[in-house]
Amino acid sequence: MLIEVKNLRKEFAVGGILFQAQRETVKAVDGVSFSIKAGTSLGLVGESGSGKTTVAKTMLRLHEPTAGEFHFDGQDVFALPRVEMRKLRRRIQIVHQNPNASLHPRMTVMAQIKRPLQIQGIGDRTTYENQVLDMLNRVGLNPEHARRFPHEFSGGQKQRIAVARALITAPEFVALDEPTSALDVSVQAQVLQLLRRLRSELELTYLFVSHDLGVIRYMCDEVAVMYLGQLVEHAEKPKLFANPLHPYTQSLLSVVPIPDPTMRHRDRKMLTGEIPSPKNPPSGCRFHTRCPHVMAHCKTDEPKMKEVESGHRVACHLYE
Ligand code: SF4
């Protein structure tokens, strides 16, 4: 496996700026484990506040982990000293949700895509500009775009620039954090097509974070579903879409449009209530406050992740 995440936990202290005693702990990610094979794509899906973005950022050490392990190609990433971590960044990259926030407004496209090459000392400085122009071509932009500034581009073009900057160091693993959710619907499909083509051309491995199961279905080989900081189901894509087991996954899937007009619509299983606060998650199964199949012991006993068929794991007392 290229990627192995074991029992990842990330807590944040919130509140109590003046008084330490008033501080509360938010368990944004609480014991998440998964692996990704080289050249494949894992989709991490869940509602806003489920902790999926925190998983990606913690793996990249944009947040320091509270506990757990992340092994990349056999290296224990969380144990790496700062200098080694900086070197590893050429092999593991992230594309953020909002290119307006991730691109530097006063640097030309050439300067900001070239920057990772300079920081990592990759290649010969006389070839940097040609490498950038090649990468612009790969992401569907023109050589004349290199001299312009981010504000001169549309949202879709800005995200292409952000993708070019992430890929310029030839990484093997890319975390994509809701890469199209800030874009107009009309350009989302083009950027998704681009990301799919790049994955195949460059033999990339993706962790694709999204709240949209339709997007995940288009992009990914496997799907992991998160609820309130924990994984509740993880399966190969065909198994998850044909036979979702966890009541939360069933509810998410029931509102995804079916592309085939000859097929009947699924029964919608709308969730009631808001996702509870991760400051004070429900006891037992965290989904019990919204689950239509809740049983008495769901409120006290936390279900463990269990493999119910090859390539399909679920954490729910219905399958014990
Ligand atoms: Fe619902 Fe119980 Fe399964 Fe949780 S463990 S999803 S409450 S049936």
Side-chain angles (χ1 to χ4, degrees):
M1 289 289 174
L2 184 69
I3 302 289
E4 295 242 33
V5 173
K6 293 184 194 161
N7 207 15
L8 181 64
R9 288 176 46 219
K10 177 62 194 173
E11 296 175 359
F12 295 102
V14 293
I17 293 168
L18 292 179
F19 302 105
Q20 193 96 12
Q22 290 176 351
R23 288 199 150 195
E24 292 178 285
T25 302
V26 174
K27 292 181 178 176
V29 177
D30 194 11
V32 165
S33 302
F34 58 82
S35 51
I36 314 178
K37 286 189 216 109
T40 68
S41 190
L42 172 69
L44 199 51
V45 69
E47 288 167 288
S48 173
S50 59
K52 54 195 189 305
T53 291
T54 307
V55 169
K57 289 188 173 175
T58 309
M59 286 171 70
L60 273 283
R61 287 181 66 179
L62 302 179
H63 302 311
E64 282 302 314
T66 303
E69 296 172 31
F70 167 31
H71 293 264
F72 171 76
D73 196 16
Q75 286 188 80
D76 184 350
V77 175
F78 295 161
L80 289 178
R82 202 170 280 267
V83 177
E84 293 303 313
M85 187 63 214
R86 197 175 306 141
K87 284 189 206 157
L88 185 69
R89 287 196 190 282
R90 72 179 281 179
R91 299 179 68 194
I92 60 173
Q93 290 281 352
I94 187 165
V95 175
H96 296 282
Q97 176 177 3
N98 185 354
N100 289 321
S102 65
L103 295 177
H104 195 297
R106 287 192 290 278
M107 284 173 87
T108 63
V109 168
M110 172 62 78
Q112 49 196 316
I113 300 179
K114 193 165 67 171
R115 189 101 179 101
L117 295 174
Q118 294 167 321
I119 291 170
Q120 294 283 348
I122 297 171
D124 178 343
R125 66 174 59 192
T126 59
T127 67
Y128 285 167
E129 299 213 348
N130 283 337
Q131 284 179 260
V132 173
L133 295 177
D134 279 352
M135 186 52 74
L136 285 178
N137 183 39
R138 264 192 194 281
V139 301
L141 294 171
N142 302 321
E144 57 268 27
H145 289 139
R147 304 292 162 202
R148 298 195 196 160
F149 291 88
H151 72 266
E152 299 176 65
F153 294 91
S154 67
Q157 287 174 318
K158 283 182 206 166
Q159 199 57 305
R160 286 171 193 265
I161 297 165
V163 169
R165 190 182 53 185
L167 298 186
I168 194 72
T169 60
E172 290 134 82
F173 170 63
V174 185
L176 297 143
D177 180 17
E178 302 261 16
T180 56
S181 62
L183 305 178
D184 289 345
V185 176
S186 57
V187 292
Q188 279 185 9
Q190 294 163 14
V191 174
L192 291 173
Q193 277 170 8
L194 170 73
L195 292 169
R196 234 166 85 136
R197 177 170 60 74
L198 290 171
R199 193 193 100 184
S200 139
E201 284 176 8
L202 304 173
E203 298 177 353
L204 299 167
T205 302
Y206 283 167
L207 175 68
F208 198 99
V209 172
S210 179
H211 65 281
D212 185 337
L213 264 172
V215 169
I216 294 273
R217 174 155 54 188
Y218 179 69
M219 289 298 301
C220 300
D221 305 294
E222 293 189 15
V223 187
V225 182
M226 271 193 92
Y227 185 77
L228 218 50
Q230 298 181 327
L231 285 193
V232 296
E233 187 162 2
H234 179 179
E236 293 159 8
K237 176 173 69 175
K239 289 178 179 161
L240 188 116
F241 279 89
N243 183 27
L245 296 177
H246 197 280
Y248 179 58
T249 315
Q250 291 169 355
S251 148
L252 290 181
L253 258 178
S254 74
V255 293
V256 175
I258 300 174
D260 183 347
T262 62
M263 285 179 71
R264 261 175 18 91
H265 282 289
R266 299 182 189 95
D267 290 337
R268 286 185 171 236
K269 296 176 180 162
M270 300 299 287
L271 282 178
T272 52
E274 293 291 309
I275 187 166
S277 167
K279 279 189 216 162
N280 189 17
S283 58
C285 170
R286 294 186 177 190
F287 189 57
H288 85 250
T289 54
R290 303 169 83 193
C291 180
H293 307 289
V294 60
M295 301 170 280
H297 65 297
C298 297
K299 298 178 184 174
T300 50
D301 302 345
E302 189 173 326
K304 299 278 174 279
M305 194 61 114
K306 184 180 165 202
E307 185 155 51
V308 287
E309 59 175 325
S310 169
H312 198 160
R313 302 184 299 145
V314 66
C316 172
H317 291 309
L318 292 172
Y319 304 96
E320 287 170 353

